[in-house]
Amino acid sequence: MSTICEDNPPSTVVDTNKPDINEIADRVVNAIMEHRLPPGIKLAEEKLAAVFGVSRTKIRQALTQLAKDGLVKLHPNRGAFVASPSIQEALDLFATRRLLEPEIVRNTIARAGKAELKRLHQHLALEADARERNDRRAIIKLSGEFHMLLAEVSGNGFISKLMDELCPLTCLIIALYDAPNTPACPEDEHTRIVEAIEAKDVERATSLMLHHLEHVERELNLDGRAKPDIDWDRMFG
């Protein structure tokens, strides 16, 4: 008679085609960073479950994960909504970034080698291509990812983790308060920052970063915009 021992538990069939919780969360973050999911929109569990082909429980777990990062707000008996940062929260966020990002620049100059600088240049090439194609969604996403990449190559894991949270929130703020046709990051400012980093010019690089953040913040306005209809089937297809 065959037996099942503890060292050989019965195999479980796993559908590898279905996204896991982290992948679902990442794809929602991408949609936020590309301005496909606007601030304040309701994230209906049943629609997301149908789009991703998973259970509502898995969707709920992914949304709970995003709520911890401040990108999603959970309201009892109402559901989950993309966060809608206030004007004061926007000001606070940029104040925080002005504290963090000069340190990121200094660390990058001190720690980054040729491989890290190559990654920055590869990213700049992607940004240039997106601008050439006038792909606004790609420009917005890549602009945010530049700051996340810079934090990553700077070598400070704690700051990098903070930037992974702050950059998607910045995209939400841009979606709420920026002029519709204004790019998330002004053209060529990233390039000048990287050039100053390569030259190991700490004063110029940090000054360019602060100017850059102030430039982005100055583009914010208080004009509300109507929320577009969402095609959930095409959103994550």
Side-chain angles (χ1 to χ4, degrees):
M1 182 175 66
S2 63
T3 60
I4 299 175
C5 65
E6 290 183 358
D7 292 332
N8 272 308
S11 61
T12 301
V13 177
V14 178
D15 188 346
T16 57
N17 292 322
K18 293 185 182 296
D20 61 18
I21 294 167
N22 289 331
E23 182 180 346
I24 293 168
D26 287 344
R27 289 173 69 181
V28 173
V29 170
N30 283 339
I32 290 171
M33 292 188 72
E34 293 175 1
H35 287 191
R36 290 183 286 127
L37 278 176
I41 194 75
K42 184 173 183 178
L43 298 168
E45 289 179 6
E46 64 275 10
K47 290 183 179 179
L48 289 171
V51 168
F52 286 109
V54 299
S55 68
R56 290 180 63 176
T57 297
K58 185 174 282 190
I59 294 297
R60 194 174 300 119
Q61 290 171 327
L63 295 178
T64 299
Q65 180 174 308
L66 292 173
K68 293 178 181 177
D69 296 333
L71 288 173
V72 168
K73 297 294 184 183
L74 302 177
H75 299 282
N77 303 319
R78 292 179 56 209
F81 296 79
V82 175
S84 185
S86 67
I87 294 294
Q88 186 59 55
E89 287 172 327
L91 295 172
D92 290 344
L93 181 141
F94 277 99
T96 301
R97 289 188 61 171
R98 283 194 295 272
L99 291 173
L100 288 176
E101 297 201 53
E103 181 65 14
I104 288 172
V105 167
R106 286 189 286 269
N107 284 346
T108 301
I109 290 173
R111 301 176 181 178
K114 290 183 179 179
E116 289 76 19
L117 292 172
K118 182 179 179 180
R119 291 179 65 192
L120 291 173
H121 278 289
Q122 289 172 336
H123 191 89
L124 291 176
L126 294 176
E127 289 188 28
D129 177 68
R131 293 184 192 281
E132 182 69 23
R133 293 183 286 106
N134 197 29
D135 187 340
R136 178 167 169 76
R137 286 182 176 177
I139 292 168
I140 291 168
K141 182 183 177 186
L142 288 167
S143 294
E145 288 179 346
F146 170 80
H147 293 267
M148 294 160 68
L149 175 60
L150 195 61
E152 181 184 338
V153 302
S154 76
N156 187 321
F158 295 104
I159 291 180
S160 181
K161 183 177 179 181
L162 283 173
M163 291 300 294
D164 285 348
E165 297 177 9
L166 293 176
C167 288
L169 282 170
T170 303
C171 288
L172 275 177
I173 288 166
I174 291 170
L176 266 176
Y177 303 117
D178 211 18
N181 295 317
T182 302
C185 283
E187 191 170 355
D188 292 337
E189 292 191 359
H190 287 171
T191 299
R192 290 197 290 272
I193 291 168
V194 172
E195 288 172 349
I197 288 172
E198 281 191 298
K200 296 189 179 297
D201 189 334
V202 175
E203 183 176 353
R204 176 167 171 75
T206 54
S207 176
L208 284 169
M209 177 60 79
L210 288 172
H211 171 77
H212 172 59
L213 293 172
E214 289 164 1
H215 191 169
V216 175
E217 186 177 359
R218 283 198 305 270
E219 298 297 332
L220 298 176
N221 61 61
L222 302 180
D223 295 332
R225 288 189 285 156
K227 296 172 185 174
D229 292 333
I230 299 297
D231 186 338
W232 294 97
D233 291 325
R234 296 181 62 186
M235 174 72 64
F236 300 103

